[in-house]
Amino acid sequence: QIGQCGNQIGCRFWDLALREHASQNRAAVFDEALSSFFRNVDTRHEDPADLPVGDGLQPICALRARAVLVDMEEGVVSQMMRSPLGELFDRRQILTDVSGAGNNWAHGHEVYGPQHREGFLERIRRAVGHCDSLQCFNIIHSMGGGTGSGLGTYLLHALADEYPNCSRFTTAVFPSAEDDVITSPYNAVLAAHQLTEHADVVLPVENAALIEMIQRADRPMAGQPQGQRVGMITENARGSMSSSSLSATNKGPPKRVNPPQRAFDSMNNIVAHALTTLTASIRFPGALNTDLSDICSNLVPYPRMHFLLPGFAPLYSLRDFKYRPAKLDQLFVDVLSAHSQLVRADPIHSRFLACGLLLRGGVTTSDAQRALGRIRPQLNLCYWNPDSFKLGLCSAPPLGQPHAVLSLSNNSCMAGVFNGLLSRFERLYRRRAHLHHFTQYAEVNRFDEAREALQEIAADYERLQHQP
């Protein structure tokens, strides 16, 4: 997790993951499910020693997340380490600086990247050394600032060089047109070029789409009776769990926490819920589990067209209304509709190259296949890939709800996302506005290369849309 945005989303993800395991692991033992994302360590040693899973019945001593935290400003990471969740992170796996990248991709990529490359890889090697079976790297970062876009993509390239055979997933927060960082179009286009070259799968997220999802979830729903509040995807865990509190939660499911006080808390929480659903099949059993390598092989038909549009359903109200679970058929329709996408896009009216549907909760394979069969005729699929769906079923439900579904759509509507970003880029670049801040650290031809690369990807998606 890299930069302020990446660390804030990552912190929420680890809190949710810990709560999910607490709700499923009532005996508070260190089992195979928990070991996928956490280490059990003996803190009596200066360098805490790993305790093996063994028969899966060993008690939890202290948990450490399999995470590396990177930021060129200390504020967010320091705040995380002072929080109740702070003891979950290994201080040897933290890399910080003091001055920040100044919302400048070139500063982060060309200055901080080479400066911190070896320190980062040293922490990665240490984390990998604690893994029995490394499956992939998952990077969380923003595209609009300097650290997440510049340093984040530099470290992605470093991972590709160091671990070429290991999949690299990135959750990239794209800036919206209303972004308050003036140079964010430069940063985003330069970073997107690096993502096309060095990532295996990119999950794009957009702040404007998240805000619209929050506003929609907060509206009163007609016909819904008032009743007990239920778990909500936009809630914020103000009282975060600590790594030593898992055993204290085995008396029942985690309690509902207070609603968020800031919009960014709710936005981060939506992304964190999507990531916990993405990784649920790795952490919990299911009738049709899907690991991350399956997503690469099934949903990416062309190497550079690896941008998978995430959608999440259902949305729960922030208000005091009781949620009535939707039928599975309706969930499938909702998750592919425009209002459920984490980017402003409409996949249902565009062409699908491939689509993954990852379900959580008590859903049988036959029910899922039946619901998929009903929605398939409504979708515009490539003629050369009519069986382009990947279905995943995990038996563990999300916190506080009976079921949820995450869609991952490799869809031609990404052309509109890229063209919108390029349009904002051109408004600045044709006037060479703010360019001197970047050319202090990088050649101006980097801008032309990045623009051309993104134009090519957008054109590729558009061609697929217009194929017969």
Side-chain angles (χ1 to χ4, degrees):
Q1 45 198 60
I2 302 172
Q4 176 179 339
C5 175
N7 278 289
Q8 289 175 336
I9 293 174
C11 183
R12 186 62 180 124
F13 166 80
W14 290 110
D15 183 42
L16 277 174
L18 198 62
R19 289 171 179 271
E20 286 184 352
H21 283 284
S23 67
Q24 298 291 321
N25 187 349
R26 301 300 179 88
V29 295
F30 188 66
D31 55 11
E32 288 286 350
L34 197 56
S35 70
S36 58
F37 274 61
F38 299 91
R39 298 162 49 211
N40 190 23
V41 300
D42 185 350
T43 55
R44 293 175 297 178
H45 302 271
E46 182 178 353
D47 184 3
D50 275 24
L51 300 175
V53 175
D55 58 3
L57 299 176
Q58 302 303 314
I60 294 172
C61 181
L63 294 179
R64 294 292 181 269
R66 300 187 187 275
V68 176
L69 282 60
V70 180
D71 200 356
M72 295 298 97
E73 293 179 349
E74 294 180 308
V76 172
V77 174
S78 297
Q79 184 179 5
M80 287 170 54
M81 298 306 292
R82 291 193 301 268
S83 73
L85 205 66
E87 61 190 56
L88 188 65
F89 302 108
D90 187 341
R91 293 184 180 274
R92 296 173 181 81
Q93 299 298 95
I94 296 175
L95 178 63
T96 59
D97 209 305
V98 293
S99 58
N103 293 324
N104 188 324
W105 176 91
H107 193 189
H109 195 273
E110 303 296 328
V111 177
Y112 282 131
Q115 179 180 334
H116 292 288
R117 176 188 173 97
E118 285 307 313
F120 171 74
L121 289 177
E122 178 185 345
R123 288 161 175 80
I124 289 292
R125 294 185 194 108
R126 187 174 185 274
V128 169
H130 292 296
C131 297
D132 295 327
S133 178
L134 179 65
Q135 184 171 131
C136 80
F137 296 103
N138 195 343
I139 297 177
I140 308 173
H141 65 119
S142 168
M143 302 274 280
T147 300
S149 67
L151 180 60
T153 53
Y154 183 94
L155 298 181
L156 174 67
H157 191 181
L159 289 175
D161 289 341
E162 190 80 3
Y163 301 92
N165 298 321
C166 189
S167 300
R168 295 169 299 281
F169 279 62
T170 71
T171 301
V173 181
F174 280 56
S176 58
E178 301 82 10
D179 195 273
D180 57 357
V181 177
I182 296 175
T183 55
S184 64
Y186 285 161
N187 295 329
V189 168
L190 290 162
H193 177 210
Q194 299 297 313
L195 293 183
T196 62
E197 299 296 330
H198 306 301
D200 292 307
V201 172
V202 178
L203 305 181
V205 176
E206 191 178 48
N207 284 334
L210 298 177
I211 291 174
E212 290 175 359
M213 293 176 77
I214 293 167
Q215 292 171 344
R216 188 176 299 107
D218 200 24
R219 294 173 191 156
M221 292 177 288
Q224 291 275 21
Q226 287 195 352
Q228 181 180 1
R229 283 188 177 184
V230 296
M232 301 172 294
I233 64 168
T234 50
E235 70 187 0
N236 173 41
R238 294 173 63 192
S240 298
M241 294 180 64
S242 66
S243 63
S244 60
S245 64
L246 185 61
S247 60
T249 65
N250 59 2
K251 296 180 181 179
K255 294 181 179 179
R256 185 196 178 281
V257 292
N258 294 325
Q261 300 301 313
R262 297 179 299 167
F264 280 112
D265 294 330
S266 301
M267 294 158 64
N268 294 339
N269 200 44
I270 293 175
V271 182
H273 272 270
L275 291 176
T276 55
T277 301
L278 175 69
T279 60
S281 288
I282 304 174
R283 299 180 289 120
F284 301 111
L288 201 61
N289 270 358
T290 301
D291 62 29
L292 298 182
S293 61
D294 289 338
I295 292 174
C296 290
S297 59
N298 286 275
L299 303 185
V300 183
Y302 301 108
R304 286 159 58 90
M305 301 175 72
H306 51 239
F307 294 82
L308 305 184
L309 186 68
F312 192 82
L315 292 177
Y316 312 132
S317 175
L318 275 176
R319 296 177 180 272
D320 201 12
F321 291 87
K322 189 172 182 179
Y323 166 69
R324 292 176 178 175
K327 293 182 178 179
L328 189 59
D329 292 351
Q330 186 61 44
L331 274 183
F332 275 37
V333 172
D334 288 345
V335 78
L336 294 174
S337 63
H339 66 258
S340 294
Q341 307 308 306
L342 274 62
V343 172
R344 279 176 166 171
D346 187 6
I348 201 105
H349 293 111
S350 303
R351 175 160 289 178
F352 286 84
L353 284 74
C355 182
L357 293 169
L358 308 182
L359 289 92
R360 301 187 63 179
V363 180
T364 65
T365 305
S366 59
D367 287 342
Q369 293 286 3
R370 176 187 51 77
L372 179 59
R374 289 186 176 181
I375 194 174
R376 188 193 298 264
Q378 306 173 33
L379 305 180
N380 184 2
L381 307 176
C382 290
Y383 72 92
W384 44 262
N385 194 17
D387 300 319
S388 55
F389 283 91
K390 178 63 179 176
L391 199 59
L393 301 178
C394 176
S395 58
L399 285 179
Q401 295 300 328
H403 45 235
V405 59
L406 172 71
S407 66
L408 300 173
S409 304
N410 197 337
N411 192 283
S412 62
C413 67
M414 279 302 301
V417 177
F418 290 135
N419 286 331
L421 182 58
L422 285 166
S423 175
R424 300 195 297 274
F425 172 90
E426 288 292 348
R427 283 200 293 269
L428 292 176
Y429 190 56
R430 72 167 60 102
R431 295 173 176 82
R432 298 301 191 263
H434 304 284
L435 199 61
H436 62 286
H437 299 299
F438 291 78
T439 54
Q440 295 179 61
Y441 312 105
E443 298 294 331
V444 71
N445 65 344
R446 301 292 291 270
F447 286 77
D448 297 318
E449 293 172 0
R451 176 179 59 182
E452 290 171 8
L454 215 56
Q455 287 172 340
E456 289 176 3
I457 296 294
D460 288 342
Y461 276 114
E462 287 176 342
R463 276 193 294 271
L464 285 168
Q465 172 65 29
H466 297 108
Q467 278 182 354

